[in-house]
Amino acid sequence: MLKQRFVLDTTALTDLQTREVMGYASLCEGMKAILDLIADARLQFGISCYVPYPSVYKEMYEFASRNGCDREVIAKIDTWLVKKSPDRYRVDVTSQIFHEYVAYMRERINRGMGVAEDAIWEAATECLFMENPQNKKKEYREEVEREVIGGIIGKFRNKYRAALRYGILDSAPDIDVLILAKELDAAVIASDYGIEKWAEQLGVRFVPANTFPMMIKEYLKHLPENEKEIEPQRQDQKKKGPSDELEFI
């Protein structure tokens, strides 16, 4: 049987919905649980999980550190995820993909510009109709910034992100995930719509982050019977002493 390969985006370990499905409230506990499943899948079935190095690996490391995860999480990342730099010079991507991407980005930029224009018009209108006959210029400006501009800018930022960033590849790690998956003929694990959309364009298999742990558990449920029988014996041997060596794939 052909051994499965997966390439993990950072969201494969940090997705909130995945933690909720698995029943973990803590980010660090969720990351540990997913990495433990990856370890079991690697030892029992030879399933390899890759992470683009250094881009996505650095993201994972910094994410775990910022959220107060202990060294065990970092050790599991280093042990069970295969770090590999994507071969950006040898992986072929058709010119049609870049043509569609440029056209798509142009459309999204124009939509973002439209959102900005709407925000400017709203702010200008509010300022014109604001009644401040007795305030001085400085006080008037502070009131406008506090009560009008601040709120509008907040709404503008949210709408701009939705109009411009949702569904696009907006970082180098996103592209590295897709290139490495294309190079290895592997499936991508992520909860990023931009990665999902362009994985389809590149002909790369995509697995949503929130279904990945269930997939690994399904593999482990169908472990051959002889392996299930000798598993307790392996645990006993580990308790007695390191008598056997593990073959890493």
Side-chain angles (χ1 to χ4, degrees), residues 206-220:
F206 180 84
V207 178
N210 62 340
T211 65
F212 178 61
M214 311 310 131
M215 176 187 293
I216 298 300
K217 288 180 180 179
E218 185 65 21
Y219 276 120
L220 296 173

Side-chain angles (χ1 to χ4, degrees), residues 61-184:
Y61 184 96
E62 292 178 350
F63 202 97
S65 300
R66 285 198 309 268
N67 286 274
C69 298
D70 56 30
R71 294 293 304 174
E72 183 180 1
V73 173
I74 304 300
K76 289 179 184 293
I77 292 174
D78 285 333
T79 303
W80 301 115
L81 300 184
V82 182
K83 298 187 289 292
K84 186 180 187 308
S85 299
D87 192 343
R88 303 186 185 99
Y89 293 98
R90 298 185 62 183
V91 176
D92 293 329
V93 178
T94 65
S95 59
Q96 179 64 22
I97 295 294
F98 282 105
H99 184 275
E100 292 180 5
Y101 187 70
V102 169
Y104 184 72
M105 283 298 300
R106 178 66 176 265
E107 177 192 352
R108 298 302 288 269
I109 290 170
N110 288 337
R111 287 170 60 185
M113 185 167 55
V115 171
E117 290 174 353
D118 290 342
I120 293 170
W121 277 108
E122 185 179 352
T125 302
E126 291 289 341
C127 291
L128 287 173
F129 287 96
M130 197 172 197
E131 295 182 1
N132 289 282
Q134 298 178 354
N135 288 352
K136 295 179 181 179
K137 185 176 180 180
K138 181 179 179 181
E139 294 173 348
Y140 177 75
R141 180 183 299 172
E142 290 175 352
E143 186 175 351
V144 169
E145 290 177 351
R146 182 178 65 254
E147 297 186 8
V148 180
I149 303 299
I152 292 173
I153 290 299
K155 289 190 293 184
F156 161 71
R157 287 172 179 169
N158 292 332
K159 290 181 179 179
Y160 189 83
R161 291 190 187 102
L164 188 61
R165 295 187 61 186
Y166 181 72
I168 67 171
L169 300 175
D170 60 353
S171 70
D174 289 353
I175 297 175
D176 281 346
V177 165
L178 291 170
I179 292 175
L180 184 57
K182 185 76 172 176
E183 177 185 345
L184 299 173

Side-chain angles (χ1 to χ4, degrees), residues 229-240:
E229 291 174 0
I230 65 175
E231 188 62 26
Q233 298 177 10
R234 290 178 179 173
Q235 295 297 330
D236 292 339
Q237 290 174 355
K238 288 180 182 179
K239 292 178 181 177
K240 292 177 182 178

